[in-house]
Every structure is written in structure tokens, then in C-alpha cells.
Amino acid sequence: MMTEERYRLDNFSKMLISVLAHDLRQPFSTLILVTDMFKNSECPLSDEELRIFFGHIRDTAVESVKLLDGLVTWMKSQNDTYVYQAQPWCLHDLINEANNLYVYNQAGKGLHISNAVPQRQLVYADREMLQFINRNILSNATKYSPLGGTIKISSRVENNYITVAFEDQGIGIREDQLQGIFNIQDTKATNRDYTGAGIALNICQNMIQQANGKLWVESTYGKGTIFYYSLPLEP
């Protein structure tokens, strides 16, 4: 029993370290990008430009804290006494908020973001868990999209469930990789490096299952990838 408990704790620690390394890299990269733009500017910046720069730095820091809140929520959910509590949230706004962490990288690649989720569409979920999922999917879509590509987010309601789709135009995922993409034991780096992302996706799957939902992916190699998740319309 002690050996099993030690194995569980060791596995949990490895997952946590890997996902921290994967997810915290993005906000720090954004902060470095913004501060380098400020540092290397040849002309003095106006008060308005400074306000915008520092506003972006603050927004990135705020989103980073929310990302950590999601991880803390997931860590708490691993406790036997944890009770999942779903509340209504505006899905369209949540997706826009989650995407704020990646706007600089998207702008640098000339990406277009299309959020077609109805503005008044509600979703019942734990906010921090759902945002952790949204951020991870958007992070991967941003990373693997080609220059000038489009990331499309859409939703449909059917049989008392809402299904959300995140579609990118990247290189896609080979069929043999799709089978183990949510498996933390299958993290081989091939055309898409899921060594860190695969662990994060495994956590996302665990979160969505706690909400009585489902997370899956479809991909055609050379054409792009679509990540889906579905959630019940009522708690």
C-alpha cells in the first residue's frame, strides 16, 4: 500500500512539474516580448504608449495568476473530500478572456481568431477548471498554427449538451499519435511536441470528466486539428 501511495504521489509531482513548465512558459515569454519592445524602442514612447505597454504587462500577469488558480483548483480536486461545484458562465466571454494570454504571439504570427460562440451562451462549469482547459487548447492552437492562419472557435447545442470546437490550420497530428494524445505515458515528440502539452491535456481530460463532460480531438495530417469538449447544459 505504501509503495502504491508513493507511486501515486511521485506521478502527481511529475505531472505538476511538467504542466507548470509547459503553461508558465507562455506568460513569461509574453512579458519578455513586451519588455524587449519597450527596451529596444528607438524613439521615446508617449504617455499613451506607455499606458498601453504597462496595461499589457498587467493583463499578462493577471492571466498568469488565473492560470495558477486553475492548477490549484485541480490539485484540490485530487483530494477525496473535494466536491465539484458548477456555476453558470458566459462561454463567449470566457474564451476571449482565456485567449488574452496569447494575443501577442498570435499577432506576431498574423493569426486571425474567430470566436463564433453566441455571446449569451451559458455554460455550467467550475470557472477555473474550464479556463485551464480553454487556455491549454488555445495555447496549442496558437503554437501550431501557420503564419497568417485562422483559429476558429464554435459551439453547438444538442441533447442537453453543449459542444465547443477549437479548429486550427496547422500541420495536424498523425493518426498513430491521436490514440495516445491524452495518455501521460505516451509523450513522444514527433511532428507536434506533446511532452509537456500531453500531460496538460491529461489534466484537462480529468477536469472535464469531473464536470460529466468529454474531451476529444480530430485531426487530418497536413490539414489541421480540431479539439472538442462537451458539457451538460444543466449542473
mmCIF file of all heavy atoms in Angstrom, residues 2 6 18 21 25 29 44 60 80 90 101 111 123 135 143 145 150 152 155 214 228 232:
data_model
loop_
_atom_site.group_PDB
_atom_site.id
_atom_site.type_symbol
_atom_site.label_atom_id
_atom_site.label_comp_id
_atom_site.label_asym_id
_atom_site.label_seq_id
_atom_site.Cartn_x
_atom_site.Cartn_y
_atom_site.Cartn_z
ATOM 1 N N MET A 2 1.927 1.215 0.826
ATOM 2 C CA MET A 2 2.825 2.360 0.893
ATOM 3 C C MET A 2 3.500 2.587 -0.452
ATOM 4 O O MET A 2 3.679 3.724 -0.888
ATOM 5 C CB MET A 2 3.871 2.142 1.990
ATOM 6 C CG MET A 2 4.844 3.329 2.138
ATOM 7 S SD MET A 2 4.003 4.864 2.622
ATOM 8 C CE MET A 2 3.497 4.425 4.282
ATOM 9 N N ARG A 6 3.204 5.943 -2.642
ATOM 10 C CA ARG A 6 4.419 6.657 -3.048
ATOM 11 C C ARG A 6 4.464 6.835 -4.564
ATOM 12 O O ARG A 6 4.843 7.874 -5.069
ATOM 13 C CB ARG A 6 5.652 5.894 -2.559
ATOM 14 C CG ARG A 6 6.976 6.592 -2.870
ATOM 15 C CD ARG A 6 8.128 5.852 -2.222
ATOM 16 N NE ARG A 6 7.982 5.777 -0.784
ATOM 17 C CZ ARG A 6 8.783 5.080 0.011
ATOM 18 N NH1 ARG A 6 9.769 4.369 -0.503
ATOM 19 N NH2 ARG A 6 8.603 5.075 1.320
ATOM 20 N N SER A 18 5.704 19.142 -14.809
ATOM 21 C CA SER A 18 5.671 19.233 -16.270
ATOM 22 C C SER A 18 4.681 20.267 -16.756
ATOM 23 O O SER A 18 4.963 21.042 -17.666
ATOM 24 C CB SER A 18 5.330 17.860 -16.873
ATOM 25 O OG SER A 18 6.340 16.928 -16.584
ATOM 26 N N ALA A 21 5.915 23.809 -16.093
ATOM 27 C CA ALA A 21 6.943 24.181 -17.063
ATOM 28 C C ALA A 21 6.322 24.506 -18.416
ATOM 29 O O ALA A 21 6.749 25.431 -19.111
ATOM 30 C CB ALA A 21 7.960 23.057 -17.208
ATOM 31 N N ARG A 25 5.548 28.925 -19.276
ATOM 32 C CA ARG A 25 6.485 29.424 -20.276
ATOM 33 C C ARG A 25 5.858 30.539 -21.118
ATOM 34 O O ARG A 25 6.490 31.525 -21.447
ATOM 35 C CB ARG A 25 6.948 28.280 -21.177
ATOM 36 C CG ARG A 25 7.999 28.686 -22.203
ATOM 37 C CD ARG A 25 8.349 27.497 -23.083
ATOM 38 N NE ARG A 25 8.833 26.377 -22.285
ATOM 39 C CZ ARG A 25 10.097 26.255 -21.896
ATOM 40 N NH1 ARG A 25 10.992 27.165 -22.249
ATOM 41 N NH2 ARG A 25 10.479 25.215 -21.186
ATOM 42 N N SER A 29 7.153 34.353 -21.626
ATOM 43 C CA SER A 29 7.586 34.723 -22.979
ATOM 44 C C SER A 29 6.905 36.015 -23.418
ATOM 45 O O SER A 29 7.531 36.875 -24.057
ATOM 46 C CB SER A 29 7.251 33.603 -23.965
ATOM 47 O OG SER A 29 7.961 32.421 -23.645
ATOM 48 N N PRO A 44 11.408 57.804 -28.019
ATOM 49 C CA PRO A 44 10.732 57.875 -26.719
ATOM 50 C C PRO A 44 9.240 57.589 -26.878
ATOM 51 O O PRO A 44 8.608 58.032 -27.839
ATOM 52 C CB PRO A 44 10.971 59.325 -26.273
ATOM 53 C CG PRO A 44 12.176 59.772 -27.042
ATOM 54 C CD PRO A 44 12.101 59.068 -28.366
ATOM 55 N N THR A 60 -1.137 40.343 -18.672
ATOM 56 C CA THR A 60 -0.433 39.062 -18.732
ATOM 57 C C THR A 60 -0.220 38.497 -17.333
ATOM 58 O O THR A 60 -0.393 37.292 -17.101
ATOM 59 C CB THR A 60 0.919 39.221 -19.443
ATOM 60 O OG1 THR A 60 0.700 39.673 -20.778
ATOM 61 C CG2 THR A 60 1.679 37.894 -19.476
ATOM 62 N N ASP A 80 -9.892 13.456 -1.809
ATOM 63 C CA ASP A 80 -11.124 12.669 -1.721
ATOM 64 C C ASP A 80 -12.308 13.491 -1.209
ATOM 65 O O ASP A 80 -13.467 13.135 -1.457
ATOM 66 C CB ASP A 80 -10.919 11.451 -0.820
ATOM 67 C CG ASP A 80 -9.947 10.445 -1.429
ATOM 68 O OD1 ASP A 80 -9.789 10.455 -2.660
ATOM 69 O OD2 ASP A 80 -9.347 9.664 -0.665
ATOM 70 N N CYS A 90 -20.716 32.912 -18.945
ATOM 71 C CA CYS A 90 -20.851 33.265 -20.357
ATOM 72 C C CYS A 90 -19.658 32.689 -21.115
ATOM 73 O O CYS A 90 -18.526 33.144 -20.940
ATOM 74 C CB CYS A 90 -20.910 34.779 -20.531
ATOM 75 S SG CYS A 90 -20.994 35.313 -22.249
ATOM 76 N N LEU A 101 -4.082 35.706 -23.109
ATOM 77 C CA LEU A 101 -2.712 35.311 -22.787
ATOM 78 C C LEU A 101 -1.873 35.085 -24.040
ATOM 79 O O LEU A 101 -0.644 35.058 -23.971
ATOM 80 C CB LEU A 101 -2.737 34.031 -21.932
ATOM 81 C CG LEU A 101 -1.500 33.705 -21.095
ATOM 82 C CD1 LEU A 101 -1.193 34.825 -20.129
ATOM 83 C CD2 LEU A 101 -1.718 32.408 -20.335
ATOM 84 N N LEU A 111 -2.103 35.716 -36.941
ATOM 85 C CA LEU A 111 -3.250 34.813 -36.827
ATOM 86 C C LEU A 111 -4.552 35.585 -36.644
ATOM 87 O O LEU A 111 -4.589 36.632 -36.004
ATOM 88 C CB LEU A 111 -3.056 33.865 -35.642
ATOM 89 C CG LEU A 111 -1.819 32.970 -35.658
ATOM 90 C CD1 LEU A 111 -1.806 32.075 -34.421
ATOM 91 C CD2 LEU A 111 -1.783 32.124 -36.923
ATOM 92 N N VAL A 123 -22.668 28.338 -19.953
ATOM 93 C CA VAL A 123 -22.121 27.006 -19.721
ATOM 94 C C VAL A 123 -21.998 26.830 -18.216
ATOM 95 O O VAL A 123 -21.655 27.770 -17.486
ATOM 96 C CB VAL A 123 -20.755 26.845 -20.421
ATOM 97 C CG1 VAL A 123 -19.724 27.816 -19.866
ATOM 98 C CG2 VAL A 123 -20.244 25.413 -20.290
ATOM 99 N N ARG A 135 -7.454 27.614 -22.032
ATOM 100 C CA ARG A 135 -6.104 28.154 -22.257
ATOM 101 C C ARG A 135 -5.185 27.111 -22.886
ATOM 102 O O ARG A 135 -4.392 27.438 -23.778
ATOM 103 C CB ARG A 135 -5.503 28.646 -20.937
ATOM 104 C CG ARG A 135 -6.158 29.908 -20.381
ATOM 105 C CD ARG A 135 -5.382 30.457 -19.196
ATOM 106 N NE ARG A 135 -6.110 31.532 -18.554
ATOM 107 C CZ ARG A 135 -6.840 31.393 -17.447
ATOM 108 N NH1 ARG A 135 -6.926 30.208 -16.859
ATOM 109 N NH2 ARG A 135 -7.476 32.421 -16.926
ATOM 110 N N LYS A 143 0.335 27.782 -31.034
ATOM 111 C CA LYS A 143 1.685 27.280 -31.271
ATOM 112 C C LYS A 143 1.823 26.600 -32.619
ATOM 113 O O LYS A 143 2.822 26.776 -33.330
ATOM 114 C CB LYS A 143 2.070 26.304 -30.149
ATOM 115 C CG LYS A 143 3.467 25.705 -30.295
ATOM 116 C CD LYS A 143 3.791 24.812 -29.110
ATOM 117 C CE LYS A 143 5.188 24.218 -29.234
ATOM 118 N NZ LYS A 143 5.522 23.341 -28.076
ATOM 119 N N SER A 145 -0.369 26.765 -35.315
ATOM 120 C CA SER A 145 -0.972 27.403 -36.488
ATOM 121 C C SER A 145 0.102 27.990 -37.398
ATOM 122 O O SER A 145 1.121 28.503 -36.921
ATOM 123 C CB SER A 145 -1.932 28.520 -36.057
ATOM 124 O OG SER A 145 -3.107 27.990 -35.478
ATOM 125 N N THR A 150 -5.914 30.868 -39.309
ATOM 126 C CA THR A 150 -7.113 31.224 -38.553
ATOM 127 C C THR A 150 -7.411 30.156 -37.509
ATOM 128 O O THR A 150 -7.309 28.955 -37.791
ATOM 129 C CB THR A 150 -8.336 31.368 -39.480
ATOM 130 O OG1 THR A 150 -8.109 32.428 -40.415
ATOM 131 C CG2 THR A 150 -9.600 31.671 -38.685
ATOM 132 N N LYS A 152 -10.520 28.948 -35.314
ATOM 133 C CA LYS A 152 -11.970 29.104 -35.254
ATOM 134 C C LYS A 152 -12.520 28.414 -34.006
ATOM 135 O O LYS A 152 -12.212 27.248 -33.756
ATOM 136 C CB LYS A 152 -12.629 28.507 -36.497
ATOM 137 C CG LYS A 152 -12.187 29.146 -37.807
ATOM 138 C CD LYS A 152 -12.856 28.454 -38.983
ATOM 139 C CE LYS A 152 -12.394 29.050 -40.316
ATOM 140 N NZ LYS A 152 -13.017 28.353 -41.480
ATOM 141 N N SER A 155 -19.578 26.557 -31.410
ATOM 142 C CA SER A 155 -20.306 25.696 -30.468
ATOM 143 C C SER A 155 -21.628 25.260 -31.075
ATOM 144 O O SER A 155 -22.163 25.911 -31.984
ATOM 145 C CB SER A 155 -20.554 26.443 -29.148
ATOM 146 O OG SER A 155 -21.434 27.533 -29.351
ATOM 147 N N LYS A 214 -16.866 15.577 -21.783
ATOM 148 C CA LYS A 214 -15.987 14.765 -22.619
ATOM 149 C C LYS A 214 -15.032 15.665 -23.381
ATOM 150 O O LYS A 214 -15.398 16.764 -23.805
ATOM 151 C CB LYS A 214 -16.826 13.935 -23.597
ATOM 152 C CG LYS A 214 -16.038 13.023 -24.521
ATOM 153 C CD LYS A 214 -16.966 12.284 -25.476
ATOM 154 C CE LYS A 214 -16.185 11.415 -26.457
ATOM 155 N NZ LYS A 214 -17.098 10.735 -27.425
ATOM 156 N N TYR A 228 -12.293 19.231 -29.264
ATOM 157 C CA TYR A 228 -13.679 19.403 -28.822
ATOM 158 C C TYR A 228 -13.779 19.125 -27.325
ATOM 159 O O TYR A 228 -13.050 18.308 -26.783
ATOM 160 C CB TYR A 228 -14.607 18.398 -29.510
ATOM 161 C CG TYR A 228 -14.695 18.471 -31.017
ATOM 162 C CD1 TYR A 228 -13.825 17.722 -31.805
ATOM 163 C CD2 TYR A 228 -15.686 19.231 -31.634
ATOM 164 C CE1 TYR A 228 -13.931 17.743 -33.192
ATOM 165 C CE2 TYR A 228 -15.802 19.259 -33.018
ATOM 166 C CZ TYR A 228 -14.913 18.512 -33.791
ATOM 167 O OH TYR A 228 -15.024 18.534 -35.166
ATOM 168 N N PRO A 232 -22.601 19.307 -19.962
ATOM 169 C CA PRO A 232 -24.053 19.354 -19.804
ATOM 170 C C PRO A 232 -24.536 20.790 -19.672
ATOM 171 O O PRO A 232 -23.851 21.644 -19.110
ATOM 172 C CB PRO A 232 -24.302 18.549 -18.517
ATOM 173 C CG PRO A 232 -22.989 18.573 -17.794
ATOM 174 C CD PRO A 232 -21.929 18.643 -18.831
#
